[in-house]
Every structure is written in C-alpha cells, then in structure tokens.
mmCIF file of all heavy atoms in Angstrom:
data_model
loop_
_atom_site.group_PDB
_atom_site.id
_atom_site.type_symbol
_atom_site.label_atom_id
_atom_site.label_comp_id
_atom_site.label_asym_id
_atom_site.label_seq_id
_atom_site.Cartn_x
_atom_site.Cartn_y
_atom_site.Cartn_z
ATOM 1 N N SER A 1 -13.454 -7.588 -20.562
ATOM 2 C CA SER A 1 -12.979 -7.155 -19.260
ATOM 3 C C SER A 1 -11.466 -6.954 -19.295
ATOM 4 O O SER A 1 -10.728 -7.842 -19.726
ATOM 5 C CB SER A 1 -13.341 -8.190 -18.189
ATOM 6 O OG SER A 1 -12.986 -7.736 -16.905
ATOM 7 N N LEU A 2 -11.019 -5.801 -18.831
ATOM 8 C CA LEU A 2 -9.596 -5.473 -18.825
ATOM 9 C C LEU A 2 -8.971 -6.065 -17.558
ATOM 10 O O LEU A 2 -8.706 -5.370 -16.580
ATOM 11 C CB LEU A 2 -9.398 -3.962 -18.893
ATOM 12 C CG LEU A 2 -10.111 -3.246 -20.046
ATOM 13 C CD1 LEU A 2 -9.809 -1.762 -20.028
ATOM 14 C CD2 LEU A 2 -9.735 -3.860 -21.392
ATOM 15 N N GLY A 3 -8.734 -7.368 -17.592
ATOM 16 C CA GLY A 3 -8.268 -8.117 -16.433
ATOM 17 C C GLY A 3 -9.433 -8.766 -15.717
ATOM 18 O O GLY A 3 -10.602 -8.520 -16.037
ATOM 19 N N LYS A 4 -9.128 -9.613 -14.726
ATOM 20 C CA LYS A 4 -10.166 -10.267 -13.935
ATOM 21 C C LYS A 4 -9.745 -10.433 -12.477
ATOM 22 O O LYS A 4 -10.166 -11.355 -11.787
ATOM 23 C CB LYS A 4 -10.539 -11.628 -14.542
ATOM 24 C CG LYS A 4 -9.377 -12.592 -14.703
ATOM 25 C CD LYS A 4 -9.798 -13.903 -15.356
ATOM 26 C CE LYS A 4 -10.443 -14.853 -14.387
ATOM 27 N NZ LYS A 4 -10.659 -16.188 -14.980
ATOM 28 N N GLY A 5 -8.891 -9.518 -12.007
ATOM 29 C CA GLY A 5 -8.434 -9.588 -10.625
ATOM 30 C C GLY A 5 -9.581 -9.485 -9.636
ATOM 31 O O GLY A 5 -10.571 -8.796 -9.879
ATOM 32 N N ARG A 6 -9.418 -10.160 -8.494
ATOM 33 C CA ARG A 6 -10.443 -10.125 -7.451
ATOM 34 C C ARG A 6 -10.291 -8.896 -6.561
ATOM 35 O O ARG A 6 -11.263 -8.270 -6.164
ATOM 36 C CB ARG A 6 -10.375 -11.391 -6.602
ATOM 37 C CG ARG A 6 -10.726 -12.664 -7.368
ATOM 38 C CD ARG A 6 -10.559 -13.890 -6.487
ATOM 39 N NE ARG A 6 -9.157 -14.045 -6.085
ATOM 40 C CZ ARG A 6 -8.756 -14.789 -5.065
ATOM 41 N NH1 ARG A 6 -9.639 -15.422 -4.316
ATOM 42 N NH2 ARG A 6 -7.466 -14.909 -4.776
ATOM 43 N N TYR A 7 -9.046 -8.581 -6.232
ATOM 44 C CA TYR A 7 -8.783 -7.422 -5.381
ATOM 45 C C TYR A 7 -7.333 -7.013 -5.544
ATOM 46 O O TYR A 7 -6.518 -7.755 -6.093
ATOM 47 C CB TYR A 7 -9.092 -7.721 -3.902
ATOM 48 C CG TYR A 7 -8.376 -8.929 -3.351
ATOM 49 C CD1 TYR A 7 -7.085 -8.832 -2.834
ATOM 50 C CD2 TYR A 7 -8.982 -10.187 -3.343
ATOM 51 C CE1 TYR A 7 -6.410 -9.945 -2.338
ATOM 52 C CE2 TYR A 7 -8.322 -11.307 -2.851
ATOM 53 C CZ TYR A 7 -7.048 -11.178 -2.352
ATOM 54 O OH TYR A 7 -6.387 -12.274 -1.866
ATOM 55 N N TYR A 8 -7.005 -5.822 -5.080
ATOM 56 C CA TYR A 8 -5.624 -5.337 -5.098
ATOM 57 C C TYR A 8 -5.402 -4.538 -3.815
ATOM 58 O O TYR A 8 -6.347 -4.251 -3.066
ATOM 59 C CB TYR A 8 -5.323 -4.495 -6.343
ATOM 60 C CG TYR A 8 -6.222 -3.290 -6.524
ATOM 61 C CD1 TYR A 8 -5.859 -2.039 -6.041
ATOM 62 C CD2 TYR A 8 -7.433 -3.404 -7.201
ATOM 63 C CE1 TYR A 8 -6.679 -0.939 -6.213
ATOM 64 C CE2 TYR A 8 -8.277 -2.313 -7.373
ATOM 65 C CZ TYR A 8 -7.890 -1.088 -6.878
ATOM 66 O OH TYR A 8 -8.717 -0.004 -7.044
ATOM 67 N N LYS A 9 -4.149 -4.198 -3.567
ATOM 68 C CA LYS A 9 -3.835 -3.480 -2.337
ATOM 69 C C LYS A 9 -3.492 -2.022 -2.612
ATOM 70 O O LYS A 9 -2.714 -1.715 -3.508
ATOM 71 C CB LYS A 9 -2.655 -4.135 -1.617
ATOM 72 C CG LYS A 9 -2.326 -3.479 -0.278
ATOM 73 C CD LYS A 9 -1.056 -4.038 0.337
ATOM 74 C CE LYS A 9 -0.686 -3.294 1.617
ATOM 75 N NZ LYS A 9 0.619 -3.702 2.153
ATOM 76 N N GLU A 10 -4.102 -1.131 -1.826
ATOM 77 C CA GLU A 10 -3.687 0.267 -1.809
ATOM 78 C C GLU A 10 -3.112 0.559 -0.426
ATOM 79 O O GLU A 10 -3.115 -0.304 0.454
ATOM 80 C CB GLU A 10 -4.870 1.190 -2.136
ATOM 81 C CG GLU A 10 -5.284 1.106 -3.593
ATOM 82 C CD GLU A 10 -6.090 2.307 -4.072
ATOM 83 O OE1 GLU A 10 -6.662 3.019 -3.223
ATOM 84 O OE2 GLU A 10 -6.145 2.511 -5.304
ATOM 85 N N THR A 11 -2.625 1.754 -0.250
ATOM 86 C CA THR A 11 -1.957 2.077 1.008
ATOM 87 C C THR A 11 -2.905 2.005 2.202
ATOM 88 O O THR A 11 -2.466 1.807 3.337
ATOM 89 C CB THR A 11 -1.335 3.482 0.934
ATOM 90 O OG1 THR A 11 -2.328 4.416 0.477
ATOM 91 C CG2 THR A 11 -0.155 3.499 -0.033
ATOM 92 N N ASP A 12 -4.222 2.149 1.967
ATOM 93 C CA ASP A 12 -5.178 2.089 3.069
ATOM 94 C C ASP A 12 -5.897 0.742 3.168
ATOM 95 O O ASP A 12 -6.863 0.599 3.914
ATOM 96 C CB ASP A 12 -6.204 3.222 2.971
ATOM 97 C CG ASP A 12 -7.039 3.154 1.697
ATOM 98 O OD1 ASP A 12 -6.673 2.374 0.779
ATOM 99 O OD2 ASP A 12 -8.057 3.863 1.603
ATOM 100 N N GLY A 13 -5.424 -0.262 2.402
ATOM 101 C CA GLY A 13 -6.002 -1.601 2.514
ATOM 102 C C GLY A 13 -6.387 -2.199 1.175
ATOM 103 O O GLY A 13 -6.088 -1.644 0.114
ATOM 104 N N LEU A 14 -7.043 -3.358 1.207
ATOM 105 C CA LEU A 14 -7.445 -4.060 -0.007
ATOM 106 C C LEU A 14 -8.667 -3.401 -0.643
ATOM 107 O O LEU A 14 -9.543 -2.880 0.042
ATOM 108 C CB LEU A 14 -7.750 -5.523 0.315
ATOM 109 C CG LEU A 14 -6.584 -6.354 0.865
ATOM 110 C CD1 LEU A 14 -7.043 -7.760 1.221
ATOM 111 C CD2 LEU A 14 -5.432 -6.412 -0.133
ATOM 112 N N LYS A 15 -8.731 -3.470 -1.980
ATOM 113 C CA LYS A 15 -9.840 -2.887 -2.742
ATOM 114 C C LYS A 15 -10.374 -3.912 -3.750
ATOM 115 O O LYS A 15 -9.587 -4.650 -4.353
ATOM 116 C CB LYS A 15 -9.368 -1.646 -3.515
ATOM 117 C CG LYS A 15 -8.785 -0.531 -2.636
ATOM 118 C CD LYS A 15 -9.845 0.141 -1.791
ATOM 119 C CE LYS A 15 -9.269 1.230 -0.912
ATOM 120 N NZ LYS A 15 -8.905 2.447 -1.647
ATOM 121 N N LEU A 16 -11.681 -3.920 -3.941
ATOM 122 C CA LEU A 16 -12.264 -4.786 -4.960
ATOM 123 C C LEU A 16 -11.716 -4.422 -6.329
ATOM 124 O O LEU A 16 -11.605 -3.244 -6.670
ATOM 125 C CB LEU A 16 -13.784 -4.646 -4.987
ATOM 126 C CG LEU A 16 -14.601 -5.420 -3.948
ATOM 127 C CD1 LEU A 16 -16.081 -5.057 -4.097
ATOM 128 C CD2 LEU A 16 -14.403 -6.923 -4.105
ATOM 129 N N ASP A 17 -11.434 -5.442 -7.132
ATOM 130 C CA ASP A 17 -10.909 -5.212 -8.476
ATOM 131 C C ASP A 17 -11.995 -5.502 -9.512
ATOM 132 O O ASP A 17 -13.113 -5.944 -9.183
ATOM 133 C CB ASP A 17 -9.679 -6.096 -8.704
ATOM 134 C CG ASP A 17 -8.755 -5.559 -9.794
ATOM 135 O OD1 ASP A 17 -9.138 -4.594 -10.496
ATOM 136 O OD2 ASP A 17 -7.649 -6.101 -9.939
ATOM 137 N N VAL A 18 -11.643 -5.325 -10.769
ATOM 138 C CA VAL A 18 -12.605 -5.418 -11.872
ATOM 139 C C VAL A 18 -13.266 -6.789 -11.966
ATOM 140 O O VAL A 18 -14.419 -6.909 -12.405
ATOM 141 C CB VAL A 18 -11.918 -5.052 -13.213
ATOM 142 C CG1 VAL A 18 -10.812 -6.038 -13.569
ATOM 143 C CG2 VAL A 18 -12.926 -4.957 -14.342
ATOM 144 N N GLY A 19 -12.563 -7.853 -11.543
ATOM 145 C CA GLY A 19 -13.117 -9.198 -11.673
ATOM 146 C C GLY A 19 -14.416 -9.389 -10.929
ATOM 147 O O GLY A 19 -15.310 -10.143 -11.370
ATOM 148 N N ALA A 20 -14.579 -8.714 -9.790
ATOM 149 C CA ALA A 20 -15.816 -8.843 -9.017
ATOM 150 C C ALA A 20 -17.009 -8.301 -9.802
ATOM 151 O O ALA A 20 -18.096 -8.888 -9.806
ATOM 152 C CB ALA A 20 -15.672 -8.107 -7.688
ATOM 153 N N TYR A 21 -16.816 -7.181 -10.489
ATOM 154 C CA TYR A 21 -17.886 -6.561 -11.269
ATOM 155 C C TYR A 21 -18.103 -7.333 -12.572
ATOM 156 O O TYR A 21 -19.234 -7.436 -13.056
ATOM 157 C CB TYR A 21 -17.551 -5.103 -11.546
ATOM 158 C CG TYR A 21 -17.316 -4.325 -10.268
ATOM 159 C CD1 TYR A 21 -16.023 -4.147 -9.755
ATOM 160 C CD2 TYR A 21 -18.377 -3.800 -9.546
ATOM 161 C CE1 TYR A 21 -15.812 -3.447 -8.581
ATOM 162 C CE2 TYR A 21 -18.171 -3.104 -8.362
ATOM 163 C CZ TYR A 21 -16.883 -2.938 -7.883
ATOM 164 O OH TYR A 21 -16.672 -2.264 -6.710
ATOM 165 N N MET A 22 -17.026 -7.871 -13.125
ATOM 166 C CA MET A 22 -17.137 -8.724 -14.311
ATOM 167 C C MET A 22 -18.036 -9.920 -14.022
ATOM 168 O O MET A 22 -18.931 -10.257 -14.809
ATOM 169 C CB MET A 22 -15.752 -9.207 -14.734
ATOM 170 C CG MET A 22 -15.733 -10.133 -15.929
ATOM 171 S SD MET A 22 -14.149 -11.006 -16.108
ATOM 172 C CE MET A 22 -14.429 -12.400 -14.986
ATOM 173 N N LYS A 23 -17.821 -10.560 -12.875
ATOM 174 C CA LYS A 23 -18.615 -11.731 -12.509
ATOM 175 C C LYS A 23 -20.083 -11.368 -12.325
ATOM 176 O O LYS A 23 -20.981 -12.153 -12.677
ATOM 177 C CB LYS A 23 -18.064 -12.366 -11.230
ATOM 178 C CG LYS A 23 -16.753 -13.110 -11.423
ATOM 179 C CD LYS A 23 -16.941 -14.346 -12.298
ATOM 180 C CE LYS A 23 -15.673 -15.170 -12.416
ATOM 181 N NZ LYS A 23 -15.846 -16.347 -13.301
ATOM 182 N N ALA A 24 -20.357 -10.190 -11.772
ATOM 183 C CA ALA A 24 -21.743 -9.761 -11.592
ATOM 184 C C ALA A 24 -22.459 -9.633 -12.937
ATOM 185 O O ALA A 24 -23.593 -10.098 -13.102
ATOM 186 C CB ALA A 24 -21.784 -8.429 -10.840
ATOM 187 N N LEU A 25 -21.789 -9.008 -13.917
ATOM 188 C CA LEU A 25 -22.396 -8.848 -15.235
ATOM 189 C C LEU A 25 -22.503 -10.184 -15.967
ATOM 190 O O LEU A 25 -23.477 -10.431 -16.685
ATOM 191 C CB LEU A 25 -21.611 -7.825 -16.058
ATOM 192 C CG LEU A 25 -21.735 -6.369 -15.591
ATOM 193 C CD1 LEU A 25 -20.784 -5.470 -16.377
ATOM 194 C CD2 LEU A 25 -23.173 -5.876 -15.736
ATOM 195 N N GLU A 26 -21.505 -11.039 -15.805
ATOM 196 C CA GLU A 26 -21.588 -12.373 -16.403
ATOM 197 C C GLU A 26 -22.832 -13.111 -15.899
ATOM 198 O O GLU A 26 -23.578 -13.716 -16.672
ATOM 199 C CB GLU A 26 -20.339 -13.194 -16.050
ATOM 200 C CG GLU A 26 -19.104 -12.870 -16.861
ATOM 201 C CD GLU A 26 -17.947 -13.810 -16.554
ATOM 202 O OE1 GLU A 26 -17.856 -14.318 -15.408
ATOM 203 O OE2 GLU A 26 -17.122 -14.060 -17.461
ATOM 204 N N TYR A 27 -23.017 -13.064 -14.595
ATOM 205 C CA TYR A 27 -24.143 -13.779 -13.977
ATOM 206 C C TYR A 27 -25.480 -13.191 -14.414
ATOM 207 O O TYR A 27 -26.400 -13.921 -14.803
ATOM 208 C CB TYR A 27 -24.004 -13.716 -12.451
ATOM 209 C CG TYR A 27 -25.138 -14.366 -11.695
ATOM 210 C CD1 TYR A 27 -25.304 -15.751 -11.711
ATOM 211 C CD2 TYR A 27 -26.036 -13.594 -10.961
ATOM 212 C CE1 TYR A 27 -26.345 -16.351 -11.021
ATOM 213 C CE2 TYR A 27 -27.081 -14.182 -10.268
ATOM 214 C CZ TYR A 27 -27.224 -15.562 -10.293
ATOM 215 O OH TYR A 27 -28.265 -16.151 -9.611
ATOM 216 N N ALA A 28 -25.586 -11.863 -14.380
ATOM 217 C CA ALA A 28 -26.849 -11.211 -14.696
ATOM 218 C C ALA A 28 -27.241 -11.389 -16.155
ATOM 219 O O ALA A 28 -28.425 -11.509 -16.482
ATOM 220 C CB ALA A 28 -26.768 -9.725 -14.351
ATOM 221 N N CYS A 29 -26.242 -11.403 -17.047
ATOM 222 C CA CYS A 29 -26.515 -11.435 -18.494
ATOM 223 C C CYS A 29 -26.304 -12.805 -19.114
ATOM 224 O O CYS A 29 -26.482 -12.967 -20.329
ATOM 225 C CB CYS A 29 -25.628 -10.414 -19.208
ATOM 226 S SG CYS A 29 -25.843 -8.726 -18.618
ATOM 227 N N ASP A 30 -25.898 -13.768 -18.314
ATOM 228 C CA ASP A 30 -25.625 -15.118 -18.808
ATOM 229 C C ASP A 30 -24.647 -15.067 -19.987
ATOM 230 O O ASP A 30 -24.895 -15.612 -21.060
ATOM 231 C CB ASP A 30 -26.920 -15.835 -19.214
ATOM 232 C CG ASP A 30 -26.716 -17.330 -19.419
ATOM 233 O OD1 ASP A 30 -25.753 -17.885 -18.850
ATOM 234 O OD2 ASP A 30 -27.519 -17.947 -20.156
ATOM 235 N N VAL A 31 -23.530 -14.385 -19.755
ATOM 236 C CA VAL A 31 -22.510 -14.219 -20.787
ATOM 237 C C VAL A 31 -21.150 -14.487 -20.174
ATOM 238 O O VAL A 31 -20.973 -14.320 -18.960
ATOM 239 C CB VAL A 31 -22.564 -12.772 -21.366
ATOM 240 C CG1 VAL A 31 -22.253 -11.738 -20.301
ATOM 241 C CG2 VAL A 31 -21.617 -12.604 -22.546
ATOM 242 N N GLN A 32 -20.209 -14.944 -20.980
ATOM 243 C CA GLN A 32 -18.838 -15.134 -20.504
ATOM 244 C C GLN A 32 -17.975 -14.016 -21.045
ATOM 245 O O GLN A 32 -17.903 -13.797 -22.258
ATOM 246 C CB GLN A 32 -18.279 -16.491 -20.930
ATOM 247 C CG GLN A 32 -16.880 -16.755 -20.363
ATOM 248 C CD GLN A 32 -16.422 -18.184 -20.584
ATOM 249 O OE1 GLN A 32 -17.196 -19.044 -20.988
ATOM 250 N NE2 GLN A 32 -15.155 -18.437 -20.321
#
C-alpha cells in the first residue's frame, strides 16, 4: 500500500484515502 492515510482534504471537502481500501483488502484476504 502506497501510504495508509484515512482521509485527506480537497477544496470541496474531505475524501477517503488509500488506507480505507487497504483495510478492506486486509480484512477480506486475512493479510497485512
């Protein structure tokens, strides 16, 4: 995973970051 941020800010508000999707794949595949 290229980083593990939870969210970041853009001019129109907060956005989900890569860490949220990383956690989903970790959970589904039982991998760290």
Side-chain angles (χ1 to χ4, degrees):
S1 185
L2 307 181
K4 57 182 280 189
R6 294 177 297 162
Y7 55 86
Y8 57 93
K9 183 187 176 187
E10 289 200 340
T11 51
D12 62 348
L14 298 177
K15 301 290 179 74
L16 279 176
D17 203 351
V18 64
Y21 303 95
M22 178 195 85
K23 287 293 185 182
L25 290 173
E26 282 186 330
Y27 177 69
C29 302
D30 193 23
V31 63
Q32 184 170 350

